[in-house]
């Protein structure tokens, strides 16, 4: 019942309904993640140093450029599913990242640094942010899997991913490094991005492979960043874990993560961080639908725990 309620509230709504009920999804540039037009278009738009393409994974535009490169490199395989690459099922990843950025979830929740704040380093992604760390496994790892799968063809340079300032052991930074430390996860993302599969895929098969890799990413990342939840308010920490749990159920439906469908879905996610005073489903500055989704996610997580 829980996942059905969640999907009925979100997935089946038309773009008109989503627009009317949420300030987050409106026609025009807001359909795309914040600063999308400023992100690197492809890998050769990133800085090259010592014969290496250098990617700053702890900068919002850097990660956004990784997503944009993936979308552009795979666009030809999704041309039959909509104009302007809108039918590409990889849109779910940058749109989720953009929602995290817009709602302040990628900033330093400990308040020790100015990372991620408007009056500090706005584009900085804090390694103390649970959301930012979890997202690394849904940005850099898929990207390196795509590199290994040949999505970008033969690259003239190696790839270098810059590490964060702390917790460096919780991440990997190259294809070789990631294959060594998390081979199953890299296998799953490589399987999704295999060019010979991409050139003749059925959409449902592609969604199945993508969601398999997506849920494996979350399963790898969740235990690594439990300590990061301590920086969040109780309601926000609960919401983060509830959301991670719900992804397994959403994945089972082979939910299509193209541009319009994902935007409709995200219109009902909280538009700011939750604070200690927030009591669901009575958060006054959230829409009834946003409150209902939070209740559903909570119930789904509790039921999952109770049933093992």
């Amino acid at each position: 019942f829980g996942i059905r309620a969640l999907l009925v509230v979100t997935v089946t709504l038309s773009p008109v309904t989503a627009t009317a009920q949420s300030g987050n999804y409106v026609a025009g540039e807001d359909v795309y993640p914040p600063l999308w037009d400023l992100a690197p278009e492809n890998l050769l738009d990133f800085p090259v140093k010592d014969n290496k393409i250098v990617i700053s994974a702890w900068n919002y535009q850097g990660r956004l450029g990784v997503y944009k490169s993936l979308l552009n490199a795979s666009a030809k395989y999704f041309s039959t599913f909509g104009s302007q690459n809108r039918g590409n099922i990889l849109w779910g990843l940058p749109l989720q990242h953009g929602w995290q950025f817009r709602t302040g979830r990628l900033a330093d929740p400990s308040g020790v640094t100015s990372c991620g704040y408007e009056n500090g380093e706005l584009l900085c992604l804090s390694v103390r942010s649970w959301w930012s760390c979890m997202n690394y496994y849904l940005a850099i790892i898929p990207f390196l899997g795509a590199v290994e799968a040949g999505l970008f063809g033969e690259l003239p340079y190696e790839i270098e991913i810059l590490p964060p300032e702390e917790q460096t052991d919780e991440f990997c930074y190259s294809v070789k490094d990631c294959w060594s430390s998390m081979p199953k996860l890299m296998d799953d993302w490589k399987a999704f991005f295999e060019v010979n599969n991409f050139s003749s895929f059925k959409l449902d098969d592609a969604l199945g492979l993508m969601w398999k890799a997506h849920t494996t990413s979350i399963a790898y990342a969740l235990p690594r960043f439990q300590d990061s939840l301590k920086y969040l308010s109780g309601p926000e920490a609960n919401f983060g874990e509830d959301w991670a749990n719900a992804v397994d159920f959403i994945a089972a439906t082979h939910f299509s993560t193209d541009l319009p469908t994902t935007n409709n879905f995200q219109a009902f996610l909280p538009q700011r961080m939750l604070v200690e005073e927030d009591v669901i489903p009575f958060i006054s500055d959230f829409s009834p639908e946003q409150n209902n989704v939070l209740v559903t996610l909570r119930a789904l997580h509790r039921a999952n725990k109770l049933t093992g």
Side-chain angles (χ1 to χ4, degrees):
F1 172 78
I3 189 60
R4 184 179 175 187
L6 172 66
L7 293 176
V8 166
V9 164
T10 54
V11 177
T12 60
L13 287 162
S14 70
V16 173
T17 307
T19 303
Q21 294 178 334
S22 169
N24 289 342
Y25 179 46
V26 294
E29 62 181 18
D30 286 353
V31 168
Y32 299 97
L35 307 178
W36 183 250
D37 286 345
L38 301 179
E41 295 278 339
N42 58 63
L43 292 187
L44 295 181
D45 288 337
F46 285 95
V48 175
K49 185 179 180 182
D50 298 330
N51 280 327
K52 291 181 179 178
I53 296 169
V54 180
I55 297 175
S56 178
W58 297 94
N59 173 279
Y60 173 68
Q61 277 182 266
R63 260 190 225 185
L64 213 55
V66 164
Y67 286 133
K68 204 169 190 180
S69 299
L70 285 171
L71 276 157
N72 287 340
S74 61
K76 60 185 176 184
Y77 304 114
F78 291 92
S79 59
T80 59
F81 299 104
S83 62
Q84 296 179 298
N85 205 21
R86 288 173 173 240
N88 194 321
I89 60 175
L90 287 170
W91 273 113
L93 297 174
L95 287 170
Q96 179 75 174
H97 190 48
W99 165 76
Q100 292 165 353
F101 176 77
R102 188 171 55 245
T103 58
R105 288 179 161 85
L106 304 176
D108 182 356
S110 72
V112 172
T113 71
S114 62
C115 180
Y117 292 97
E118 283 192 37
N119 58 353
E121 302 169 82
L122 178 61
L123 300 182
C124 172
L125 305 181
S126 174
V127 75
R128 297 187 180 203
S129 158
W130 179 84
W131 293 95
S132 184
C133 291
M134 292 290 291
N135 179 262
Y136 189 96
Y137 280 74
L138 290 166
I140 302 305
I141 310 301
F143 166 69
L144 293 174
V147 170
E148 181 67 6
L151 183 68
F152 300 101
E154 287 292 322
L155 292 171
Y157 308 106
E158 288 183 48
I159 304 274
E160 180 181 7
I161 309 292
L162 298 181
E165 293 182 357
E166 52 186 290
Q167 298 188 61
T168 54
D169 291 345
E170 301 299 341
F171 309 95
C172 57
Y173 306 100
S174 67
V175 170
K176 183 179 178 182
D177 183 20
C178 294
W179 272 111
S180 172
S181 57
M182 48 195 76
K184 170 68 168 64
L185 179 52
M186 286 290 285
D187 267 340
D188 282 357
W189 279 112
K190 185 187 176 195
F192 169 66
F193 282 111
E194 292 281 13
V195 173
N196 56 337
N197 291 341
F198 254 14
S199 57
S200 60
F201 72 87
K202 294 178 181 175
L203 186 59
D204 192 64
D205 293 341
L207 284 165
L209 287 170
M210 186 205 68
W211 278 118
K212 181 185 178 188
H214 191 120
T215 53
T216 305
S217 277
I218 290 177
Y220 263 84
L222 262 179
R224 289 175 180 260
F225 304 113
Q226 282 297 302
D227 285 351
S228 299
L229 292 169
K230 69 186 178 188
Y231 296 119
L232 302 176
S233 70
E236 179 69 18
N238 286 337
F239 166 61
E241 291 191 294
D242 293 346
W243 179 231
N245 170 78
V247 169
D248 274 337
F249 292 86
I250 296 168
T253 71
H254 286 198
F255 175 69
S256 183
T257 43
D258 58 36
L259 183 74
T261 310
T262 304
N263 267 320
N264 289 351
F265 186 92
Q266 291 197 157
F268 299 94
L269 294 180
Q271 75 269 23
R272 61 163 173 81
M273 298 271 281
L274 301 180
V275 297
E276 294 294 353
E277 294 75 26
D278 287 328
V279 178
I280 58 173
F282 308 110
I283 304 176
S284 60
D285 61 329
F286 285 9
S287 69
E289 293 79 14
Q290 287 170 329
N291 272 292
N292 287 340
V293 165
L294 290 175
V295 169
T296 303
L297 294 176
R298 184 95 281 248
L300 199 60
H301 194 186
R302 283 176 176 165
N304 215 24
K305 281 183 173 179
L306 287 171
T307 59

